[in-house]
């Protein structure tokens, strides 16, 4: 009768010593695989969240740009009505002051409304009907009037800095008399005031809304403060007024 072969005691002891090590190694590998899978899942969830936030940002910036554009188009229509009334001599100086004061009260982003001559002299505004002694428009402040005279329709000019350092831009609606260009109605915007009054609080509470130039330099913002380096950003052309401005 053949006897059973038995494992030597030394081999049994070595196998027993290796078994806990194999158990710990396999456990560690399983945990590592779980951590990798969990990390991948977290990354996917985070990426989806970032994409959703970016989509929301893009949609709200597009909505904001359209809202401001429609608002400024209503200013063009008002200016065209005033220009037509002036051309038909249906609007006196006193009526001009009354109408512009009411219009400025309803549109605080505007700094002033003026009647200007073809050569850039300011004739009337909401306070005074004797502005001839004021210096004529020059350089960037003259650009909107120049463009309106050439195009024969409302035109925005180049942005420029006022004496207080804040950025402004103009809209000029041309004024014609018997087919001859004789000046225009000039609406002067404060860029910072435009953002202050036209960016709703529910957007401003989530994003830092600003207008920048083509070089990325901030010209005006809804609120003061630095933008976080890791913040999501999106920018689109800010037209009107155009001139290379971007809404960010």
């Amino acid at each position: 009768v053949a006897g059973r072969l038995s494992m030597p005691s030394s081999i049994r002891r070595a196998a027993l010593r290796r078994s806990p090590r194999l158990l710990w190694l396999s456990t560690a590998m399983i945990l590592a695989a779980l951590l990798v899978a969990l990390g991948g899942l977290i990354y996917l969830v985070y990426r989806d969240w970032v994409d959703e936030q970016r989509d929301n940002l893009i949609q709200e910036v597009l909505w904001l740009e359209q809202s401001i554009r429609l608002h400024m188009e209503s200013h063009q229509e008002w200016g065209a009505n005033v220009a037509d009334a002036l051309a038909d001599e249906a609007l006196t100086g006193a009526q001009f002051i009354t109408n512009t004061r009411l219009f400025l009260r309803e549109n605080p982003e505007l700094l002033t409304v003026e009647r200007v001559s073809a050569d850039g002299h300011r004739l009337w505004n909401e306070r005074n009907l004797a502005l001839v002694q004021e210096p004529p428009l020059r350089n960037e402040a003259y650009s909107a009037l120049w463009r309106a005279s050439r195009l024969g329709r409302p035109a925005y000019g180049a942005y420029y800095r006022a004496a207080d350092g804040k950025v402004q831009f103009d809209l000029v609606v041309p004024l014609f008399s018997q087919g001859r260009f004789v000046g225009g109605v000039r609406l002067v915007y404060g860029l910072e005031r435009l953002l202050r009054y036209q960016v709703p609080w529910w957007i401003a509470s989530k994003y830092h809304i600003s207008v920048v130039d083509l070089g990325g330099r901030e010209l005006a913002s809804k609120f003061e403060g630095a933008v976080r380096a890791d913040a999501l950003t999106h920018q689109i052309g800010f037209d009107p007024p155009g001139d290379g401005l971007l809404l960010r």
Side-chain angles (χ1 to χ4, degrees):
V1 178
R4 290 186 303 170
L5 295 176
S6 61
M7 182 182 296
S9 59
S10 60
I11 297 177
R12 287 200 304 271
R13 286 194 298 271
L16 290 174
R17 284 197 301 268
R18 286 196 299 269
S19 295
R21 295 177 184 175
L22 292 173
L23 179 61
W24 280 109
L25 180 60
S26 60
T27 303
M29 292 178 65
I30 293 173
L31 289 175
L34 288 174
L35 289 175
V36 170
L38 182 60
L41 179 60
I42 292 174
Y43 171 75
L44 291 175
V45 171
Y46 173 75
R47 189 178 65 181
D48 289 343
W49 178 82
V50 170
D51 290 343
E52 181 180 356
Q53 295 299 308
R54 187 178 300 280
D55 289 342
N56 290 337
L57 171 61
I58 292 172
Q59 292 299 321
E60 290 181 338
V61 170
L62 289 173
W63 178 90
L64 178 61
E65 187 274 337
Q66 183 180 32
S67 173
I68 295 176
R69 175 162 47 83
L70 292 174
H71 182 69
M72 295 175 69
E73 286 177 356
S74 70
H75 293 174
Q76 288 188 33
E77 295 175 1
W78 180 87
N81 290 334
V82 172
D84 289 342
L86 290 172
D88 296 337
E89 298 183 351
L91 189 69
T92 65
Q95 291 171 331
F96 179 87
I97 287 181
T98 300
N99 289 351
T100 53
R101 283 181 176 175
L102 177 61
F103 185 68
L104 289 171
R105 191 178 306 123
E106 295 174 346
N107 298 275
E109 63 275 7
L110 288 166
L111 300 173
T112 187
V113 176
E114 299 173 340
R115 178 180 181 178
V116 295
S117 65
D119 58 358
H121 281 88
R122 289 169 281 185
L123 305 176
W124 300 347
N125 67 8
E126 70 281 0
R127 299 180 302 274
N128 199 334
L129 297 178
L131 298 178
V132 179
Q133 69 274 16
E134 297 288 333
L137 302 174
R138 291 289 183 264
N139 302 321
E140 288 85 356
Y142 180 74
S143 61
L145 180 63
W146 181 85
R147 292 175 183 176
S149 68
R150 295 300 185 272
L151 297 173
R153 57 179 173 80
Y156 291 89
Y159 66 88
Y160 58 94
R161 291 191 181 274
D164 60 3
K166 294 185 177 180
V167 176
Q168 299 178 181
F169 63 91
D170 302 340
L171 165 66
V172 170
V173 180
L175 177 60
F176 293 92
S177 177
Q178 297 179 350
R180 184 172 61 91
F181 176 73
V182 295
V185 178
R186 177 183 181 232
L187 289 72
V188 182
Y189 292 83
L191 188 57
E192 181 270 334
R193 292 169 67 93
L194 182 63
L195 295 181
R196 184 198 312 171
Y197 291 108
Q198 291 304 313
V199 176
W201 66 267
W202 52 270
I203 289 183
S205 64
K206 294 187 290 183
Y207 309 111
H208 179 82
I209 304 297
S210 62
V211 174
V212 301
D213 61 17
L214 288 175
R217 181 179 57 175
E218 185 175 289
L219 302 177
S221 62
K222 169 73 173 182
F223 296 123
E224 297 294 334
V227 182
R228 297 196 323 270
D230 60 343
L232 292 174
T233 61
H234 181 70
Q235 63 186 31
I236 58 175
F238 191 35
D239 188 8
D243 198 40
L245 296 181
L246 301 169
L247 181 64
R248 174 184 291 176

